[in-house]
Amino acid sequence: MRIIALSSLRTFWARNPQYADAAGPALAWYRHALAADWSSPADVKREFANASILKNGRVVFNIAGNKYRLVVWINFGYRVVYIRFIGTHAQYDEIDAQTI
């Protein structure tokens, strides 16, 4: 998969030192997704059983033992993953994952 943009993940922990523990797990997710070939939401669920599949290609991943949430939009036809949000559960509760 092609992932847009790793810089979104890096910015999260670089600007917020209290979230530095997200770096390792987020990069592990990034490497896994980069090597994946997801053509449907079912492919994502097969590899990440705890992922939440939303409407229109939106997927929510639990990162770092469920400490953080990662929201992406996946264009399955083009095999592109767009990172839309990474944050704590409290921060996630403040957003609309379908529109962010």
Side-chain angles (χ1 to χ4, degrees):
M1 302 295 290
R2 184 170 167 221
I3 303 173
I4 312 291
L6 176 58
S7 61
S8 300
L9 297 177
R10 287 189 177 139
T11 299
F12 175 68
W13 63 76
R15 288 189 183 163
N16 305 289
Q18 70 269 30
Y19 305 137
D21 63 330
L27 288 173
W29 172 88
Y30 176 84
R31 286 188 294 272
H32 186 102
L34 198 60
D37 184 23
W38 298 328
S39 63
S40 71
D43 292 339
V44 176
K45 283 298 272 187
R46 238 185 318 279
E47 294 183 29
F48 291 95
N50 291 330
S52 298
I53 307 297
L54 306 180
K55 298 179 203 172
N56 302 321
R58 295 289 177 135
V59 180
V60 180
F61 294 94
N62 295 312
I63 303 293
N66 209 17
K67 186 173 180 181
Y68 301 102
R69 294 260 172 114
L70 173 65
V71 178
V72 303
W73 175 66
I74 303 175
N75 183 322
F76 291 102
Y78 287 98
R79 307 294 200 275
V80 179
V81 177
Y82 298 88
I83 296 172
R84 305 301 299 151
F85 169 86
I86 184 170
T88 65
H89 279 264
Q91 293 164 335
Y92 174 81
D93 290 341
E94 300 285 321
I95 66 159
D96 179 358
Q98 280 298 147
T99 60
I100 195 163

